[in-house]
Amino acid sequence: MTSGPLARVALLGDVNVDVTLPVPRFPLPGTEELSERLHLSLGGSVVHTARWLKVFGVEVRLAGCVGSDPWGDWALEKLKRAGIGTRFIQRTAATTGIVFLIVEPSGERTMLGARGANAQLSAEAIPDGWLVSVDWLHLSGYAWLRDPQRSAAEWALAEARRRGVPVSLDVGLGAVLASEEAIRDLLPRVDLLLPSWEEARRLSGQEDPVKALQALSAAVSGWALIKLGGEGCLVQEEGGPVRVPPFPVAARDTTGAGDAFDAGAILGALQGWKPLLQGLFGNLLGTLSVGSDPGDPWPTRDEALKLLERAAGWEAELRRLREFVCLHWRDQGEV
């Protein structure tokens, strides 16, 4: 185990309570479907990413907002158990954000939620020191849906640019659907863009993934990696676009897979890796995420190494990932 943090990453976005309901099928309008079990967990895209960054010894500084209600108490306690400090988490009279996740046997999930307190995040109330000595800033596109959270995200982005801190953006489909022009206007200030295929399609106006990647890579100040779900990801290398295949696994719950991918891409960027290796690492963490059911223990280092052993191709890159995992993986606490 290494001493001291591998890096310091600030994150800004939603902090939610996730209520996951596995069901045999999604109910038709006017019908009902009962779940045999229910699982409560920490949610919000930046929270999932922060947890994965913590696995590799990163110091995370999470800026968010929860309600002054029992759900807010619960979320703060869970963050502490996960080793994520709550100094930069604000509280407000609004209800803590809650998301209901309907998970079908294929592992695909449907989300229904109320963002509540998340939109009340205020730049003025973020304590001093949040961005001091950080190596990276990661933002959620959902922060641009409403003020004052939108203003807080704009301030964070401007301050990071002023300090020379690289910025990544997880787009978020809901953010694109509601604020497509606002998200598109952010691109020139983003160093690492992390859209899903549907988000990339809408932002680029291209129906072909390769053309979408080329358009987005030209729009951002750095580079883009397009997440393709069960088909891996698409990255831009010096020789042109490269499709990076996924690690084979039976999906059990796709919740948070893209956020896990983000952590792999950010970690790779912090190490100075090329997009191919960043995408490969993102695929690895995303695969570990979808291979677990809600309530399962956090994936282990041995599970990660087994996936790497079974993978084919790109031997040098896979060897580098094995070395990184062996050196930096730390056990996650129970939350």
Short mmCIF file of all heavy atoms in Angstrom, two decimals, residues 94-123:
data_model
loop_
_atom_site.label_atom_id
_atom_site.label_comp_id
_atom_site.label_asym_id
_atom_site.label_seq_id
_atom_site.Cartn_x
_atom_site.Cartn_y
_atom_site.Cartn_z
N ALA A 94 -34.63 21.87 1.85
CA ALA A 94 -35.24 21.00 0.83
C ALA A 94 -35.00 19.53 1.16
O ALA A 94 -34.09 19.18 1.92
CB ALA A 94 -34.66 21.34 -0.54
N THR A 95 -35.79 18.66 0.56
CA THR A 95 -35.67 17.23 0.77
C THR A 95 -34.42 16.69 0.09
O THR A 95 -34.08 17.09 -1.02
CB THR A 95 -36.91 16.50 0.21
OG1 THR A 95 -38.07 17.03 0.83
CG2 THR A 95 -36.83 15.00 0.49
N THR A 96 -33.73 15.78 0.75
CA THR A 96 -32.57 15.12 0.15
C THR A 96 -32.99 14.44 -1.16
O THR A 96 -34.08 13.87 -1.26
CB THR A 96 -32.00 14.08 1.12
OG1 THR A 96 -31.57 14.76 2.31
CG2 THR A 96 -30.82 13.34 0.52
N GLY A 97 -32.10 14.50 -2.15
CA GLY A 97 -32.40 13.86 -3.43
C GLY A 97 -32.61 12.37 -3.29
O GLY A 97 -31.84 11.69 -2.60
N ILE A 98 -33.65 11.87 -3.91
CA ILE A 98 -33.97 10.44 -3.85
C ILE A 98 -34.22 9.93 -5.27
O ILE A 98 -34.92 10.57 -6.06
CB ILE A 98 -35.21 10.17 -2.97
CG1 ILE A 98 -34.93 10.58 -1.52
CG2 ILE A 98 -35.60 8.69 -3.03
CD1 ILE A 98 -36.08 10.34 -0.58
N VAL A 99 -33.63 8.78 -5.60
CA VAL A 99 -33.79 8.17 -6.91
C VAL A 99 -34.27 6.73 -6.74
O VAL A 99 -33.68 5.97 -5.96
CB VAL A 99 -32.47 8.19 -7.71
CG1 VAL A 99 -32.62 7.42 -9.02
CG2 VAL A 99 -32.04 9.63 -7.99
N PHE A 100 -35.31 6.36 -7.45
CA PHE A 100 -35.80 4.99 -7.48
C PHE A 100 -35.25 4.32 -8.74
O PHE A 100 -35.38 4.85 -9.84
CB PHE A 100 -37.32 4.94 -7.47
CG PHE A 100 -37.93 5.41 -6.18
CD1 PHE A 100 -38.22 6.75 -5.99
CD2 PHE A 100 -38.17 4.52 -5.15
CE1 PHE A 100 -38.75 7.20 -4.80
CE2 PHE A 100 -38.71 4.96 -3.94
CZ PHE A 100 -39.01 6.31 -3.76
N LEU A 101 -34.63 3.17 -8.55
CA LEU A 101 -34.00 2.44 -9.65
C LEU A 101 -34.71 1.11 -9.84
O LEU A 101 -34.71 0.25 -8.94
CB LEU A 101 -32.52 2.21 -9.35
CG LEU A 101 -31.69 3.49 -9.24
CD1 LEU A 101 -30.54 3.32 -8.26
CD2 LEU A 101 -31.16 3.90 -10.60
N ILE A 102 -35.35 0.95 -10.98
CA ILE A 102 -36.04 -0.29 -11.31
C ILE A 102 -35.08 -1.13 -12.15
O ILE A 102 -34.72 -0.74 -13.27
CB ILE A 102 -37.34 -0.02 -12.10
CG1 ILE A 102 -38.15 1.10 -11.44
CG2 ILE A 102 -38.15 -1.30 -12.24
CD1 ILE A 102 -38.54 0.83 -10.01
N VAL A 103 -34.64 -2.26 -11.62
CA VAL A 103 -33.63 -3.08 -12.29
C VAL A 103 -34.27 -4.37 -12.78
O VAL A 103 -34.83 -5.15 -11.99
CB VAL A 103 -32.45 -3.40 -11.35
CG1 VAL A 103 -31.40 -4.25 -12.08
CG2 VAL A 103 -31.81 -2.11 -10.83
N GLU A 104 -34.20 -4.60 -14.10
CA GLU A 104 -34.76 -5.81 -14.71
C GLU A 104 -33.72 -6.93 -14.74
O GLU A 104 -32.52 -6.69 -14.50
CB GLU A 104 -35.24 -5.47 -16.11
CG GLU A 104 -36.36 -4.43 -16.11
CD GLU A 104 -36.78 -4.02 -17.50
OE1 GLU A 104 -37.46 -4.82 -18.17
OE2 GLU A 104 -36.43 -2.90 -17.92
N PRO A 105 -34.13 -8.18 -15.00
CA PRO A 105 -33.19 -9.32 -14.98
C PRO A 105 -31.98 -9.14 -15.89
O PRO A 105 -30.91 -9.70 -15.63
CB PRO A 105 -34.07 -10.49 -15.43
CG PRO A 105 -35.44 -10.13 -14.98
CD PRO A 105 -35.53 -8.64 -15.18
N SER A 106 -32.12 -8.36 -16.97
CA SER A 106 -30.99 -8.12 -17.87
C SER A 106 -29.93 -7.24 -17.23
O SER A 106 -28.83 -7.09 -17.77
CB SER A 106 -31.49 -7.45 -19.16
OG SER A 106 -32.00 -6.16 -18.88
N GLY A 107 -30.25 -6.64 -16.09
CA GLY A 107 -29.35 -5.70 -15.46
C GLY A 107 -29.62 -4.26 -15.83
O GLY A 107 -29.09 -3.34 -15.21
N GLU A 108 -30.47 -4.05 -16.85
CA GLU A 108 -30.78 -2.68 -17.27
C GLU A 108 -31.63 -2.01 -16.21
O GLU A 108 -32.52 -2.62 -15.62
CB GLU A 108 -31.52 -2.71 -18.60
CG GLU A 108 -31.60 -1.33 -19.27
CD GLU A 108 -30.23 -0.71 -19.48
OE1 GLU A 108 -29.41 -1.26 -20.23
OE2 GLU A 108 -29.99 0.35 -18.86
N ARG A 109 -31.37 -0.72 -15.98
CA ARG A 109 -32.11 -0.01 -14.95
C ARG A 109 -32.85 1.18 -15.52
O ARG A 109 -32.44 1.79 -16.50
CB ARG A 109 -31.17 0.44 -13.83
CG ARG A 109 -29.98 1.29 -14.27
CD ARG A 109 -30.27 2.74 -14.19
NE ARG A 109 -29.15 3.60 -14.54
CZ ARG A 109 -29.19 4.43 -15.55
NH1 ARG A 109 -30.22 4.43 -16.36
NH2 ARG A 109 -28.19 5.26 -15.80
N THR A 110 -33.99 1.49 -14.90
CA THR A 110 -34.77 2.67 -15.24
C THR A 110 -34.82 3.55 -13.99
O THR A 110 -35.05 3.04 -12.89
CB THR A 110 -36.19 2.29 -15.67
OG1 THR A 110 -36.11 1.43 -16.80
CG2 THR A 110 -37.01 3.53 -16.02
N MET A 111 -34.60 4.86 -14.17
CA MET A 111 -34.50 5.76 -13.03
C MET A 111 -35.70 6.68 -12.94
O MET A 111 -36.16 7.23 -13.95
CB MET A 111 -33.22 6.60 -13.13
CG MET A 111 -31.94 5.81 -13.09
SD MET A 111 -30.46 6.83 -13.39
CE MET A 111 -30.59 8.03 -12.06
N LEU A 112 -36.18 6.87 -11.72
CA LEU A 112 -37.21 7.86 -11.41
C LEU A 112 -36.73 8.60 -10.17
O LEU A 112 -36.43 7.97 -9.16
CB LEU A 112 -38.56 7.19 -11.14
CG LEU A 112 -39.15 6.31 -12.24
CD1 LEU A 112 -40.31 5.49 -11.69
CD2 LEU A 112 -39.63 7.18 -13.39
N GLY A 113 -36.64 9.90 -10.24
CA GLY A 113 -36.07 10.59 -9.09
C GLY A 113 -36.52 12.02 -8.92
O GLY A 113 -37.11 12.63 -9.82
N ALA A 114 -36.21 12.55 -7.75
CA ALA A 114 -36.42 13.95 -7.44
C ALA A 114 -35.09 14.48 -6.89
O ALA A 114 -34.56 13.95 -5.92
CB ALA A 114 -37.53 14.12 -6.40
N ARG A 115 -34.53 15.52 -7.52
CA ARG A 115 -33.20 16.00 -7.17
C ARG A 115 -33.20 16.80 -5.88
O ARG A 115 -32.18 16.90 -5.21
CB ARG A 115 -32.63 16.84 -8.32
CG ARG A 115 -32.48 16.03 -9.61
CD ARG A 115 -31.83 16.85 -10.71
NE ARG A 115 -30.48 17.23 -10.33
CZ ARG A 115 -30.07 18.49 -10.25
NH1 ARG A 115 -30.90 19.49 -10.46
NH2 ARG A 115 -28.83 18.76 -9.92
N GLY A 116 -34.32 17.39 -5.52
CA GLY A 116 -34.45 18.04 -4.22
C GLY A 116 -33.32 18.99 -3.88
O GLY A 116 -33.03 19.94 -4.60
N ALA A 117 -32.65 18.70 -2.75
CA ALA A 117 -31.62 19.60 -2.21
C ALA A 117 -30.44 19.80 -3.15
O ALA A 117 -29.73 20.81 -3.03
CB ALA A 117 -31.14 19.05 -0.87
N ASN A 118 -30.20 18.89 -4.06
CA ASN A 118 -29.03 19.00 -4.92
C ASN A 118 -28.96 20.34 -5.64
O ASN A 118 -27.89 20.95 -5.76
CB ASN A 118 -29.03 17.87 -5.96
CG ASN A 118 -28.68 16.53 -5.35
OD1 ASN A 118 -27.60 16.34 -4.81
ND2 ASN A 118 -29.62 15.59 -5.41
N ALA A 119 -30.11 20.81 -6.12
CA ALA A 119 -30.13 22.06 -6.88
C ALA A 119 -29.85 23.28 -6.02
O ALA A 119 -29.63 24.37 -6.54
CB ALA A 119 -31.49 22.22 -7.57
N GLN A 120 -29.82 23.11 -4.68
CA GLN A 120 -29.61 24.23 -3.77
C GLN A 120 -28.14 24.45 -3.43
O GLN A 120 -27.81 25.34 -2.63
CB GLN A 120 -30.40 24.01 -2.48
CG GLN A 120 -31.91 23.89 -2.69
CD GLN A 120 -32.47 25.10 -3.40
OE1 GLN A 120 -32.19 26.23 -3.03
NE2 GLN A 120 -33.29 24.86 -4.43
N LEU A 121 -27.24 23.68 -4.04
CA LEU A 121 -25.81 23.87 -3.78
C LEU A 121 -25.39 25.29 -4.14
O LEU A 121 -25.66 25.77 -5.23
CB LEU A 121 -24.99 22.87 -4.60
CG LEU A 121 -23.47 23.01 -4.50
CD1 LEU A 121 -22.98 22.64 -3.11
CD2 LEU A 121 -22.78 22.14 -5.55
N SER A 122 -24.72 25.96 -3.20
CA SER A 122 -24.35 27.36 -3.39
C SER A 122 -22.83 27.51 -3.44
O SER A 122 -22.12 26.98 -2.58
CB SER A 122 -24.90 28.21 -2.24
OG SER A 122 -24.31 29.49 -2.20
N ALA A 123 -22.33 28.25 -4.42
CA ALA A 123 -20.89 28.49 -4.51
C ALA A 123 -20.39 29.24 -3.28
O ALA A 123 -19.30 28.95 -2.76
CB ALA A 123 -20.58 29.28 -5.78
#
